Amino acid sequence: MEDAYARSVSDVLEFFAVDATKGLKDSQVAEHGRLYGKNGTPFWRLVLKQFDDLLVKILIAAAIVSFFLALANGETGLTAFLEPSVILMILAANAAVGVITETNAEKALEELRAYQADVATVMRNGCFSILPAADLVPGDIVEVSVGCKVPADMRMIEMLSDQLRVDQAILTGESSSVGKELETTNVTNAVYQDKTNILFSGTVVVAGRARAVVVGVGSNTAMGSIRDSMLKTEDEATPLKKKLDEFGTFLAKVIAGICVLVWIVNIGHFRDPAHGGFLQGAIHYFKIAVALAVAAIPEGLPAVVTTCLALGTKRMARLNAIVRSLPSVETLGCTTVICSDKTGTLTTNMMSVSKICVLHSINHGPVAAEYSVTGTTYAPEGVLFDNTGTQLEIPAQFHCLLHIAMCSALCNESVVQYNPEKKSYEKIGESTEVALRVLAEKIGLPGFDTMPSALDMLTKHERASYCNHYWEDQFKKVSLLEFSRDRKMMSVLCNRKHIEIMFSKGAPESILSRCTSILCNDNGSTVPLTSNIRAEIESKFHSFAGKETLRCLALALKRMPPGQQALSFDDEKDLTFIGLVGMLDPPREEVRNAILSCMTAGIRVIVVTGDNKTTAESLCRRIGAFDHLDDFTGLSYTASEFEKLPASLKTMALQRMILFTRVEPSHKRMLVEALQHQNEVVAMTGDGVNDAPALKKADIGIAMGSGTAVAKSASDMVLADDNFATIVAAVAEGRAIYNNTKQFIRYMISSNIGEVVCIFVAALLGIPDTLVPVQLLWVNLVTDGLPATAIGFNKQDSDVMKAKPRKVNEAVVTGWLFFRYLVIGVYVGLATVAGFVWWFLYSDNGPKLSYTELMNFDSCSTRETNYPCTVFSDRHPSTVSMTVLVVVEMFNALNNLSENQSLLVIPPWSNLWLLGSIVLTMLLHILILYVEPLSILFSVSPLSWTEWTVVLYLSFPVIIIDEILKFVSRNYNGIRFNFRFRRMDLLPKREVRDK
């Protein structure tokens, strides 16, 4: 029943055919269960998901083809299995990391169950019984009272106390509890906050007792809709993942074209005698094409990206940002909008008294004294300052403050306690009452000069309510008048040494109208409440409630006749006004600077809250979101105001919006989707169950460490310290990680271009194979992988947070950069071929052939030569080629310490990890050259000193070439060249998002 809030009690009961005094009959329970119902991804799919990547699929295909080709050539044992095995091993390792990361992500739905009630007090067949909440059906009559978790969505039908208040912060984000009523709600497009006659599943009753009829169970509840929303949300690919996918598609086409081209170019050589027949020749050149594919695909790229992101998560963990999803590290770098939940994220979610107003004296006309109170949590830590900014050493020596402490402690039903496990102070009961208890602790006790230091000596458990317990021991509570909505106040009768005193608290207008006198703060005297004094107090109240948007309560007392044992509503008159307190859910101290940092970095912050517009606008002023603005038109919207806008105005509103109020979960998810349609990269912060769908939908969901388990499980990142400022540090780290990721991707691309050029040029020249597939695989996985990973340790640029966020459709490698790395790649390929040719033509250890003889190597067996034909299967030339390729790539790794800065400015030792990886790579390469079992496996042989010298001569020029290209980039010609090549993006253009 979706519109129960708009129907009368009798209509709802009639709809379910239930008697409010008897409940459902057993037959009705069974029937309603049939009509309305009662209140994870398989592991193998997660494994398969890790291989759903084009580059990975191409590699798997290459591994299978190479295996069958090896068998076709008669190879057996380790030789046949080596190449495909190495490919599959690296892919399996990469998949394992992905599976471990993603198995945690599906816990959110399970943890939603923690917010469901276990049992419910239900009337059936005319009597009450306690049943499992899962057995409830629509139409059941349920009774709830203080401390109950609401077991289903229910329509109020009977109030059994003066009031019923419910904490529904987990659903709406409201910082204070909500009063419930029986009256019908007539609001168009009503949100949860408007449905004041509905009790929502999972919320907690904090005051009162009532009966209600179940109108929704399971997925038809507010909590159920959150679960369904999370189930429907599909994970968005991160900007880098999209670019790598595009790169994979592009690379697949290029590889296919080049492989076919190489095969076709060599058709004339299929019948060469060296191959032993046309079919064998075709297979031989098909093997070369496969080798080309292996060379072109950066096998190590998925593993290196994963490793670099994992290293980034460790650095972010030290900043108190716990990353749950590796790709989100990179997503942070291009975040353009942060949609921040207000309650508990920008604020402490702990009501605290910040202002006090009392009458100081009437000696020189009515003079109101104003005090400010520090401390923004439930901890009894804070001091009072007068309006001159002077700290009060012993606040309890002031008469009004002393009586405010008494009234706050006695006219109160809440509890504050210390939780040693969480190392924090917690509340039980109303947030406003808890704020008064904490105020009583801050004011302290009278009569002790050493009061502040004496309290500091207590344990945290004792300190939590020491002063409150003192007043409760001094005064015995005799009678209580509960808060009611018509009176808007509550009173308690206390007895102390045969003196009866009534303490009252409530809405300022209600208390003031019942007061005839007022307490003076300077001497403790009671004076008549004149019209002038009343006007001054009302002026302070309007200032607190209006300009400062504080929630105000007034406190009063009355001396009662001796021996009185009960209170009546008639006693609540002729009161003595004590003072006025203003409280708020205060912003976190560090939020203001964090907001400013976001603005500097080009990131827009949108505050999203279930609270009312006025309160939220006041908070935005405090945190600097509305700095230098008097008119908030076009910047601040309620959910209903936004929904009424025409489509064109909605688009404009989304581009300027800073504040979004009176929202419910569906609105948060809608906001994220709308911003994503405008190509914004959206981060959503939150801590409540109500935030979970939006956290899951956002490009990056950021949960608070103190938030609900559901929010954490739905998020990509958790802030361990609940500090909004940590997001700024995390964004800076995300940008640095992306810059480093971009550097090693370019490094790997240029290296792979070199390998492709090497094989392609060798095929065109008609010389023997320069490198065999297993050698290419070794270069790609080991010698490429280690330096590429170390590039991830490049230092963060000092101005990383001064640049605007990069665009999501920005190519990883643009036209000019691709030209640069094409030049480098071509040199790497030519140097590798040159090393091979040098051994045959000029090496003292080689045959010293002519170039023509080298080109006609395949006809060696058909003609007379002065050298044996076995020279063309010698392992030395391919060893020289492979070593040139390894060493030139080590020099190229040094080029990638910076995109445009010279090695003279950023020297190699600025990244010791990179130097270490280069040393380790060379040691591994030397190991396979000089240790015999490995040298046989990789078809290599030891090199002489002369051969090493030639390798260095051929490799070092890559440094000089890149320094020249960097110089061009830093100067006007480079900029102009960049302009000319800007449309030649390495990655093909496509829509940023496929919706």
Side-chain angles (χ1 to χ4, degrees):
M1 191 176 187
E2 295 181 358
D3 62 344
Y5 64 90
R7 298 198 189 189
S8 65
V9 172
S10 57
D11 285 347
V12 176
L13 294 174
E14 186 180 339
F15 179 87
F16 291 112
V18 60
D19 184 339
T21 61
K22 295 181 180 178
L24 294 175
K25 298 174 185 174
D26 289 339
S27 59
Q28 288 178 299
V29 171
E31 182 185 352
H32 286 199
R34 285 194 302 272
L35 285 174
Y36 308 111
K38 291 187 178 181
N39 202 27
T41 306
F43 183 77
W44 62 270
R45 284 190 181 176
L46 278 179
V47 174
L48 288 182
K49 184 180 175 184
Q50 308 309 314
F51 296 95
D52 188 18
D53 180 275
L54 190 59
L55 286 181
V56 171
K57 290 173 183 173
I58 293 172
L59 274 176
I60 292 172
I64 294 169
V65 169
S66 65
F67 173 66
F68 281 111
L69 286 178
L71 292 181
N73 276 0
E75 294 177 24
T76 56
L78 189 60
T79 311
F81 285 99
L82 180 64
E83 184 180 316
S85 298
V86 175
I87 292 176
L88 294 175
M89 280 170 59
I90 196 71
L91 292 179
N94 196 50
V97 174
V99 168
I100 292 167
T101 303
E102 291 199 27
T103 47
N104 296 323
E106 301 304 317
K107 291 181 181 176
L109 300 177
E110 290 297 317
E111 286 165 346
L112 265 175
R113 294 177 185 171
Y115 294 90
Q116 297 173 353
D118 296 322
V119 295
T121 305
V122 189
M123 178 182 282
R124 286 182 181 172
N125 303 308
C127 61
F128 278 105
S129 58
I130 297 176
L131 298 176
D135 291 347
L136 289 179
V137 295
D140 267 325
I141 305 298
V142 176
E143 187 169 304
V144 294
S145 57
V146 176
C148 282
K149 190 177 287 183
V150 178
D153 279 12
M154 307 190 294
R155 168 67 159 89
M156 295 266 292
I157 60 172
E158 185 180 359
M159 193 82 78
L160 301 176
S161 60
D162 292 330
Q163 63 162 344
L164 185 84
R165 298 190 70 81
V166 177
D167 180 355
Q168 52 187 43
I170 64 164
L171 194 64
T172 63
E174 292 167 295
S175 53
S176 55
S177 61
V178 178
K180 295 294 181 178
E181 56 189 19
L182 301 178
E183 286 76 16
T184 300
T185 301
N186 295 311
V187 178
T188 307
N189 297 324
V191 296
Y192 292 144
Q193 294 90 327
D194 298 324
K195 300 174 184 178
T196 52
N197 52 25
I198 300 289
L199 305 179
F200 296 107
S201 172
T203 60
V204 179
V205 178
V206 295
R209 182 166 154 257
R211 284 181 193 167
V213 58
V214 176
V215 296
V217 295
S219 61
N220 294 319
T221 63
M223 202 67 73
S225 67
I226 290 175
R227 181 180 181 277
D228 290 347
S229 179
M230 291 169 68
L231 281 170
K232 291 174 187 174
T233 300
E234 295 181 3
D235 292 334
E236 286 280 343
T238 68
L240 180 60
K241 178 69 167 65
K242 289 178 182 177
K243 286 297 157 194
L244 291 179
D245 287 346
E246 290 174 9
F247 174 56
T249 305
F250 172 73
L251 201 59
K253 294 173 183 176
V254 172
I255 290 168
I258 294 177
C259 289
V260 170
L261 185 63
V262 167
W263 199 67
I264 291 173
V265 164
N266 286 285
I267 285 178
H269 295 287
F270 285 4
R271 295 185 183 277
D272 289 348
H275 303 311
F278 183 87
L279 181 61
Q280 284 79 7
I283 291 174
H284 173 78
Y285 285 103
F286 186 65
K287 278 192 74 175
I288 291 177
V290 171
L292 193 66
V294 172
I297 300 170
E299 290 90 343
L301 187 57
V304 172
V305 170
T306 301
T307 305
C308 185
L309 294 177
L311 292 170
T313 63
K314 286 191 174 182
R315 289 201 293 270
M316 292 172 81
R318 290 196 289 269
L319 301 172
N320 289 312
I322 312 301
V323 175
R324 299 186 68 257
S325 169
L326 286 182
S328 64
V329 176
E330 175 270 331
T331 311
L332 272 170
C334 55
T335 299
T336 58
V337 177
I338 298 175
C339 295
S340 176
D341 186 47
K342 178 183 80 72
T343 306
T345 305
L346 297 174
T347 68
T348 63
N349 195 20
M350 299 181 188
M351 292 293 281
S352 65
V353 174
S354 63
K355 289 288 179 72
I356 299 173
C357 175
V358 297
L359 180 68
H360 180 66
S361 171
I362 59 164
N363 293 332
H364 305 287
V367 178
E370 188 177 310
Y371 298 96
S372 58
V373 187
T374 66
T376 57
T377 67
Y378 293 144
E381 299 161 0
V383 294
L384 279 71
F385 293 91
D386 62 22
N387 49 12
T388 65
T390 305
Q391 181 181 333
L392 307 186
E393 293 298 328
I394 306 177
Q397 70 185 5
F398 295 90
H399 296 277
C400 286
L401 295 179
L402 176 64
H403 285 81
I404 283 174
M406 288 183 198
C407 187
S408 296
L410 299 167
C411 195
N412 203 314
E413 296 294 296
S414 68
V415 176
V416 180
Q417 60 188 18
Y418 182 71
N419 185 330
E421 292 182 3
K422 296 183 180 179
K423 296 183 179 179
S424 63
Y425 292 87
E426 296 179 341
K427 67 159 186 169
I428 299 175
E430 276 280 2
S431 297
T432 50
E433 291 200 333
V434 173
L436 292 177
R437 282 219 180 269
V438 176
L439 175 64
E441 296 297 327
K442 292 175 182 177
I443 292 173
L445 300 174
F448 302 98
D449 291 339
T450 59
M451 181 80 287
S453 57
L455 289 174
D456 291 340
M457 294 173 68
L458 299 172
T459 66
K460 291 189 174 182
H461 178 73
E462 294 170 324
R463 182 68 187 92
S465 293
Y466 184 84
C467 298
N468 282 274
H469 290 159
Y470 173 84
W471 293 120
E472 287 168 346
D473 289 340
Q474 291 291 313
F475 290 86
K476 179 185 175 184
K477 290 186 183 181
V478 179
S479 180
L480 173 70
L481 281 180
E482 287 187 343
F483 180 92
S484 64
R485 284 187 300 125
D486 54 344
R487 290 163 41 246
K488 294 183 180 177
M489 63 182 292
M490 74 171 285
S491 299
V492 61
L493 177 63
C494 299
N495 172 277
R496 181 176 186 257
K497 297 179 181 178
H498 307 295
I499 298 173
E500 271 67 37
I501 300 178
M502 181 181 73
F503 292 101
S504 301
K505 77 168 190 291
E509 60 272 20
S510 297
I511 296 290
L512 270 171
S513 65
R514 289 172 166 82
C515 289
T516 55
S517 58
I518 187 167
L519 189 67
C520 291
N521 199 35
D522 61 343
N523 57 14
S525 62
T526 301
V527 298
L529 183 58
T530 64
S531 57
N532 288 343
I533 299 174
R534 189 184 296 271
E536 188 157 342
I537 297 296
E538 286 177 347
S539 173
K540 282 291 182 185
F541 162 53
H542 291 306
S543 174
F544 282 6
K547 183 180 177 183
E548 300 185 51
T549 63
L550 301 178
R551 183 169 183 180
C552 295
L553 286 177
L555 309 177
L557 59 80
K558 180 181 178 181
R559 185 80 172 264
M560 305 299 289
Q564 183 166 337
Q565 295 297 307
L567 286 178
S568 67
F569 295 147
D570 292 334
D571 292 321
E572 292 180 325
K573 61 183 179 180
D574 299 326
L575 307 179
T576 299
F577 187 87
I578 305 172
L580 181 74
V581 296
M583 58 186 75
L584 79 162
D585 180 10
R588 297 180 182 275
E589 294 175 0
E590 60 282 341
V591 163
R592 187 178 184 86
N593 287 336
I595 294 282
L596 293 175
S597 295
C598 286
M599 290 177 177
T600 305
I603 300 169
R604 184 156 56 103
V605 178
I606 300 178
V607 179
V608 184
T609 177
D611 261 354
N612 68 66
K613 194 173 184 178
T614 307
T615 303
E617 286 178 349
S618 173
L619 173 84
C620 286
R621 282 195 205 93
R622 286 190 176 94
I623 63 175
F626 283 159
D627 270 3
H628 314 301
L629 294 172
D630 295 321
D631 183 12
F632 305 149
T633 306
L635 303 174
S636 174
Y637 294 90
T638 64
S640 58
E641 287 171 350
F642 182 76
E643 287 184 327
K644 290 175 186 174
L645 292 175
S648 59
L649 292 180
K650 276 185 180 177
T651 302
M652 292 176 62
L654 284 168
Q655 291 169 355
R656 299 187 63 216
M657 183 187 291
I658 293 176
L659 178 62
F660 197 38
T661 54
R662 302 300 282 174
V663 300
E664 55 185 46
S666 60
H667 292 131
K668 294 183 178 183
R669 193 172 185 274
M670 175 272 293
L671 177 63
V672 170
E673 287 179 343
L675 288 166
Q676 287 175 336
H677 275 298
Q678 293 193 353
N679 297 334
E680 302 281 8
V681 179
V682 184
M684 163 61 88
T685 73
D687 60 352
V689 173
N690 59 318
D691 299 318
L695 288 173
K696 198 163 176 20
K697 178 63 182 170
D699 294 287
I700 174 163
I702 306 172
M704 300 296 114
S706 62
T708 60
V710 179
K712 291 177 190 174
S713 294
S715 66
D716 301 297
M717 191 172 86
V718 178
L719 299 184
D721 58 357
D722 285 10
N723 191 338
F724 184 83
T726 302
I727 297 174
V728 181
V731 168
E733 190 62 43
R735 290 184 174 189
I737 288 169
Y738 176 76
N739 289 340
N740 292 341
T741 303
K742 197 163 63 170
Q743 285 300 101
F744 71 63
I745 288 174
R746 291 173 184 157
Y747 163 68
M748 296 186 90
I749 288 172
S750 62
S751 298
N752 283 53
I753 288 172
E755 295 166 19
V756 170
V757 168
C758 165
I759 293 171
F760 191 64
V761 168
L764 285 178
L765 295 178
I767 62 177
D769 300 342
T770 51
L771 297 167
V772 296
V774 73
Q775 292 173 337
L776 282 170
L777 200 63
W778 170 260
V779 173
N780 281 354
L781 293 181
V782 182
T783 59
D784 276 5
L786 288 173
T789 304
I791 288 170
F793 288 94
N794 285 350
K795 290 183 179 177
Q796 180 178 312
D797 293 339
S798 57
D799 59 349
V800 73
M801 283 302 284
K802 292 178 182 175
K804 300 298 179 189
R806 76 175 193 280
K807 293 179 177 149
V808 288
N809 59 350
E810 175 188 298
V812 178
V813 181
T814 54
W816 163 243
L817 282 170
F818 183 50
F819 173 79
R820 281 176 54 182
Y821 286 91
L822 193 61
V823 171
I824 295 295
V826 168
Y827 178 79
V828 169
L830 293 177
T832 305
V833 173
F836 186 85
V837 172
W838 168 86
W839 189 86
F840 278 104
L841 271 59
Y842 304 110
S843 174
D844 292 335
N845 298 327
K848 295 193 176 180
L849 308 178
S850 67
Y851 184 70
T852 305
E853 287 176 315
L854 180 61
M855 285 184 64
N856 294 309
F857 77 97
D858 46 9
S859 61
C860 177
S861 59
T862 62
R863 51 191 173 83
E864 291 186 9
T865 60
N866 57 1
Y867 54 87
C869 290
T870 54
V871 73
F872 295 111
S873 58
D874 194 304
R875 291 184 296 176
H876 266 88
S878 63
T879 304
V880 173
S881 284
M882 182 182 175
T883 306
V884 169
L885 186 58
V886 169
V887 176
V888 79
E889 288 186 5
M890 294 306 99
F891 284 126
N892 191 30
L894 294 177
N895 288 334
N896 284 274
L897 282 167
S898 172
E899 186 176 310
N900 291 316
Q901 290 298 323
S902 168
L903 281 173
L904 299 175
V905 176
I906 301 179
W909 50 87
S910 65
N911 186 342
L912 294 177
W913 287 100
L914 181 57
L915 289 182
S917 70
I918 290 172
V919 170
L920 180 59
T921 298
M922 291 309 302
L923 288 174
L924 288 172
H925 184 66
I926 289 167
L927 189 69
I928 68 164
L929 293 186
Y930 295 97
V931 176
E932 191 160 297
L934 293 174
S935 63
I936 295 170
L937 273 176
F938 288 98
S939 299
V940 292
S941 58
L943 297 182
S944 66
W945 177 246
T946 305
E947 289 165 337
W948 273 107
T949 306
V950 171
V951 166
L952 289 172
Y953 276 131
L954 289 171
S955 303
F956 185 77
V958 78
I959 295 274
I960 299 169
I961 293 170
D962 200 56
E963 284 292 309
I964 294 169
L965 291 170
K966 284 180 178 179
F967 177 80
V968 173
S969 287
R970 291 194 302 270
N971 291 277
Y972 177 76
N973 290 336
I975 296 170
R976 187 177 65 186
F977 205 26
N978 189 21
F979 175 80
R980 289 172 58 192
F981 274 84
R982 67 179 179 178
R983 292 200 170 273
M984 258 188 59
D985 286 352
L986 170 65
L987 307 180
K989 293 288 184 185
R990 75 170 189 186
E991 288 297 316
V992 178
R993 291 183 186 279
D994 298 323
K995 291 291 179 184

